[in-house]
Amino acid sequence: MANNAKYDQKFTKNVIGTTGENASPRTKEIFASFFTHLHDFIREIELKPEEWMAAVHWVNRIGQISTPARNEAHRISDITGIESLITEIANHVASETGDTPTSSAILGPFWSPNAPWRKLGDSIIDSPAPGAHVTYMHGIIRDMVTKKPISNVTFDIWQASTNGKYDFQDPENQKDNNLRGKFKTDENGEYRLICLRPTAYSLPTDGPSFELLNLLDRHPMRPAHIHLMITHPDYKDVITQIYPNDDPWLATDTVFAVKDDLVVDFKPYKGEHGETKELELNLILAPKGEKLANPDPVSH
Amino acid sequence: MANNAKYDQKFTKNVIGTTGENASPRTKEIFASFFTHLHDFIREIELKPEEWMAAVHWVNRIGQISTPARNEAHRISDITGIESLITEIANHVASETGDTPTSSAILGPFWSPNAPWRKLGDSIIDSPAPGAHVTYMHGIIRDMVTKKPISNVTFDIWQASTNGKYDFQDPENQKDNNLRGKFKTDENGEYRLICLRPTAYSLPTDGPSFELLNLLDRHPMRPAHIHLMITHPDYKDVITQIYPNDDPWLATDTVFAVKDDLVVDFKPYKGEHGETKELELNLILAPKGEKLANPDPVSH
C-alpha cells in the first residue's frame, strides 16, 4: 500500500522473525500471513489510538458474554463472513465433470451431538410452536456419479421454533432436543419426517456482535432456515441449510450463508397429522475421493 | 493473491456491500479494509475448520480471563505488534528540519490516572523491593525547536517492582501507587526523583496471550523498563519507555516497544538515601503545531 511507505518497513518482518524454530510449519505459514494482513490493515487506515482501544474493550466483551449456550466469537465469525468462507474453502475441490453435490453452508452455533434418533415419518416437534406451519418434508438422497439412491444415510436436522429460538436457548418453552432429530434413509434412499416451516429470526440484540452490526448499520436478521448435516461413511459430508424462497432476508442474510441451490419451495399440503405444507428436497452426495466441482455460490 | 482465484470473487464485496448508508465514512473506510484483509488472509492460507474453531475458543478465552486488573485483549495487541504500530502511526508527522522529539513507545496496560503528585527529589518507592538498585534519576526537558528548558512539564513515571509486578497486580506486597508519581519540572526544566533500576519480567504465563506465545515458540519476556508520560499544554505528549542498555531482551522484546534512543545507561552512584545508581535522562518535546520528524525506530 502506498501509504505504508512512511512507516518502518522492517517492523512486520521483525514481528514475524521472532517466531521460534519449534513452531510448526503450518503455524509459521498462518501467522506470517496473519501479521502481514493485520499490520497492513492498521497502516492502510492509520488506525487511531482511541479506535484501537475501543476494539480492545470490544474484544474483551466477546468472551465475557459467552456462556455454554452462547458462543459470541462464533457469532462474530458468522457476521463477518468468516464461517461462510471457511465452509467454501473446506468444500472446494476442482472438478472435471461439472457434477456438483448439494452446496454446503455454515454449521452455525446450534448443532448438538446429542440429537435423538427418530423413525422415518416421525415428527421432530416435541413442544408446542405457536403459529407453526407443520410441514411434511421428504426426499431422496442420490450418488453424484451414479445418480443412484443411497440407503442408510444419516439425515441430521435441527431448526429454531417459531419464536426464533433453539431448544437450549429456550428451556422454558422447549424440551431438550425439540426440533432436532437424526434419521436413516431407507432402501430407496428416501427420508421423510415432520418439522416446521422455518421462521426468520434476529440474532441477539445485545453484546459485541450486535454492537458491530449497529456500527455498520446492518440488520441482525437471518432468513428462515432449516439446518441439515448429511453423512454416510462412503460419501463426503454435506453440512448445509435450506431457505424458503419467499423469505425477505435472502439477499442480505446477516451471516452470508445463502446459496441459490439451497432456496426451496414449501407447497400447500393437507396431511393426516395437521401438516399444512410439503417440502420435497432431494440431495446429492459426492463419493469420497471423487473430485468435486467448485459450487459457484452466485451463478448456479 | 493467486490462490484466491478459485474462490468466489464476489464474496468480500458482498459482505462490504451490506454496510448501511448510516455507517460513518470512517467506519466504512475501516471495515472495507478490515474485511478485505481478513478474507484475503483466510483464502491465502486456506484456513481449515478446526483451525478456525480453535481460534473461536481462543477469542472467547480472552475476555473470560480479563479482570479490572488484567486486560488480556490489550496484551494480545501488544504481543502481536498492534500497539507498537498504533503508537508509531499516532506519533508520525513528516518533518522538514530533521529535528525529532524523544521517541514514543507503547502505553501498556499499567498506567494509572490516580498516580500521586510528588515533590521534586522525592522517592516513588513506598514499599520494600527486595534486591533493588535504588536510582537517582534526573534530567532536563527541552523544546525541540528553541532547545530551551521547559518549566512546569508534568513528568508521570510508573514501573514494576523487583518481582516484575505493578502495584495493582501485587496488593500483598505493594501499597497503592507504589512506584508511581507525577512531578513538575522546575524553572530550569529539570526533574529529579528516586526510583528503582527496573527489572526484566515475564508476561503472565497463563491465558490466551501465553498460549499464542507458546504456539509461536516465543518467550514472554519484556526487557527491564520504566514508563514515562511527559505532558505540557504547549507541547505534544510523549508517552514512552526507557530500557537499561545491558538488558538481554532488548532485541526480542515480546511487545516490540524498544527503540534505540530509548536505551539508557544506569551509572554507579552513591547517594544520601541509599542510591546506588544514577540515571541522567534528558528529554525533547515538540511544540504543538510543529511538524515532527519521522523517528525511524531502526536506524537512529
Side-chain angles (χ1 to χ4, degrees):
Chain A
M1 295 295 160
N3 65 356
N4 287 354
K6 60 188 169 188
Y7 300 119
D8 175 15
Q9 295 302 297
K10 297 171 192 157
F11 182 78
T12 300
K13 199 177 165 205
N14 181 35
V15 171
I16 293 169
T18 60
T19 304
E21 59 186 17
N22 295 318
S24 76
R26 178 64 175 161
T27 295
K28 288 177 182 167
E29 178 187 24
I30 289 174
F31 283 90
S33 173
F34 179 73
F35 287 130
T36 300
H37 281 292
L38 175 69
H39 293 178
D40 281 354
F41 156 66
I42 291 170
R43 284 184 286 242
E44 190 171 309
I45 50 101
E46 299 189 303
L47 196 68
K48 295 172 185 164
E50 62 273 21
E51 294 165 341
W52 160 68
M53 192 45 69
V56 162
H57 292 307
W58 180 83
V59 169
N60 280 328
R61 287 196 295 276
I62 293 171
Q64 284 159 358
I65 207 167
S66 290
T67 66
R70 178 171 183 166
N71 186 334
E72 192 75 0
H74 190 147
R75 182 161 288 127
I76 302 272
S77 296
D78 289 353
I79 65 173
T80 53
I82 295 174
E83 191 180 4
S84 193
L85 259 184
I86 299 283
T87 302
E88 182 190 4
I89 292 167
N91 290 284
H92 177 92
V93 183
S95 167
E96 286 150 5
T97 68
D99 285 334
T100 57
T102 299
S103 289
S104 294
I106 70 171
L107 175 66
F110 297 114
W111 178 76
S112 165
N114 304 318
W117 287 102
R118 302 186 192 256
K119 279 186 299 184
L120 281 180
D122 276 359
S123 173
I124 63 171
I125 311 167
D126 291 338
S127 302
H133 297 277
V134 177
T135 298
Y136 173 52
M137 179 176 177
H138 63 101
I140 294 172
I141 302 180
R142 293 179 186 277
D143 182 300
M144 183 182 82
V145 177
T146 66
K147 319 296 184 199
K148 288 185 181 163
I150 314 167
S151 64
N152 221 29
V153 174
T154 298
F155 183 94
D156 187 352
I157 180 171
W158 67 106
Q159 67 178 156
S161 189
T162 47
N163 62 1
K165 292 186 176 170
Y166 293 83
D167 57 350
F168 56 69
Q169 295 179 298
D170 191 27
E172 291 181 13
N173 298 306
Q174 298 184 52
K175 292 183 194 166
D176 280 357
N177 292 317
N178 181 47
L179 300 172
R180 297 181 186 278
K182 286 187 287 210
F183 298 82
K184 288 278 191 191
T185 55
D186 64 17
E187 67 278 13
N188 302 313
E190 187 179 320
Y191 71 91
R192 49 193 175 273
L193 57 93
I194 293 172
C195 61
L196 301 181
R197 187 185 197 284
T199 307
Y201 62 79
S202 169
L203 299 191
T205 53
D206 63 348
S209 54
F210 191 62
E211 289 172 38
L212 179 58
L213 292 173
N214 272 335
L215 185 68
L216 294 169
D217 187 28
R218 277 172 47 183
H219 68 71
M221 296 303 293
R222 290 229 59 209
H225 60 279
I226 295 174
H227 292 273
L228 303 174
M229 184 187 286
I230 316 296
T231 56
H232 184 288
D234 298 338
Y235 293 86
K236 200 162 153 49
D237 298 348
V238 171
I239 296 170
T240 195
Q241 301 179 29
I242 53 170
Y243 309 89
N245 56 8
D246 61 350
D247 191 281
W249 310 105
L250 290 175
T252 59
D253 177 13
T254 192
V255 306
F256 309 104
V258 177
K259 296 169 189 176
D260 286 1
D261 72 321
L262 303 176
V263 175
V264 296
D265 191 19
F266 286 75
K267 293 182 172 151
Y269 184 76
K270 276 210 173 177
E272 294 174 5
H273 308 285
E275 305 97 308
T276 60
K277 296 284 177 186
E278 178 193 16
L279 173 62
E280 180 179 1
L281 177 72
N282 300 312
L283 296 152
I284 301 165
L285 298 188
K288 277 188 179 163
E290 207 49 46
K291 289 189 170 186
L292 307 184
N294 176 17
D296 175 346
V298 173
S299 68
H300 80 145
Chain B
M1 295 295 157
N3 65 355
N4 286 354
K6 61 188 169 189
Y7 300 119
D8 175 16
Q9 294 303 296
K10 296 170 191 156
F11 182 78
T12 300
K13 199 177 166 203
N14 180 35
V15 171
I16 294 170
T18 61
T19 304
E21 60 185 16
N22 294 318
S24 77
R26 178 64 176 162
T27 294
K28 288 177 183 167
E29 178 187 24
I30 288 175
F31 282 90
S33 174
F34 178 73
F35 287 130
T36 300
H37 281 292
L38 175 69
H39 294 179
D40 281 353
F41 156 66
I42 290 171
R43 284 184 286 243
E44 190 173 308
I45 50 101
E46 300 190 303
L47 196 68
K48 296 172 186 163
E50 63 272 21
E51 293 165 341
W52 160 66
M53 191 45 68
V56 161
H57 291 308
W58 179 83
V59 169
N60 279 329
R61 287 197 294 275
I62 293 171
Q64 284 160 359
I65 207 168
S66 290
T67 67
R70 178 172 184 167
N71 185 333
E72 192 75 1
H74 190 147
R75 182 161 289 128
I76 301 270
S77 296
D78 289 353
I79 65 173
T80 54
I82 295 174
E83 191 179 4
S84 192
L85 259 183
I86 298 283
T87 302
E88 182 190 5
I89 292 167
N91 290 284
H92 177 92
V93 184
S95 167
E96 286 151 5
T97 68
D99 285 334
T100 57
T102 300
S103 289
S104 294
I106 71 171
L107 175 66
F110 298 114
W111 177 75
S112 165
N114 304 318
W117 287 100
R118 302 188 193 255
K119 279 186 300 182
L120 281 180
D122 276 359
S123 174
I124 63 170
I125 310 168
D126 291 338
S127 303
H133 298 278
V134 177
T135 297
Y136 173 54
M137 179 175 177
H138 62 100
I140 294 172
I141 301 180
R142 294 179 184 276
D143 181 300
M144 184 182 81
V145 177
T146 68
K147 320 297 183 197
K148 287 185 181 165
I150 314 167
S151 64
N152 222 30
V153 174
T154 298
F155 184 95
D156 188 350
I157 180 171
W158 66 106
Q159 66 178 157
S161 189
T162 47
N163 63 0
K165 293 186 175 169
Y166 293 82
D167 58 349
F168 56 69
Q169 295 179 297
D170 191 28
E172 290 182 13
N173 298 306
Q174 299 184 51
K175 292 183 195 168
D176 280 357
N177 292 317
N178 181 46
L179 299 172
R180 297 180 186 278
K182 286 186 287 209
F183 298 83
K184 287 278 191 189
T185 56
D186 65 16
E187 66 278 12
N188 301 313
E190 187 179 321
Y191 71 91
R192 49 192 175 273
L193 57 92
I194 292 173
C195 61
L196 301 181
R197 187 187 196 284
T199 307
Y201 62 80
S202 169
L203 300 190
T205 53
D206 63 350
S209 54
F210 191 61
E211 289 172 38
L212 179 58
L213 292 173
N214 273 334
L215 184 68
L216 294 169
D217 187 28
R218 277 172 47 183
H219 69 72
M221 296 303 294
R222 289 230 58 208
H225 60 279
I226 295 173
H227 291 274
L228 303 174
M229 182 187 287
I230 316 296
T231 56
H232 185 287
D234 299 338
Y235 293 86
K236 199 161 154 49
D237 298 348
V238 170
I239 297 169
T240 194
Q241 301 179 30
I242 53 169
Y243 308 89
N245 57 8
D246 61 349
D247 190 281
W249 309 106
L250 291 174
T252 59
D253 178 12
T254 191
V255 306
F256 309 103
V258 177
K259 296 170 190 177
D260 286 1
D261 72 320
L262 302 176
V263 175
V264 296
D265 191 19
F266 286 76
K267 292 184 171 153
Y269 185 75
K270 277 209 172 179
E272 293 175 6
H273 308 286
E275 304 96 307
T276 61
K277 297 283 178 186
E278 179 193 15
L279 173 62
E280 181 179 1
L281 176 72
N282 299 313
L283 296 152
I284 301 164
L285 299 188
K288 278 187 180 164
E290 210 45 49
K291 288 190 172 185
L292 307 185
N294 177 16
D296 174 346
V298 174
S299 68
H300 80 145

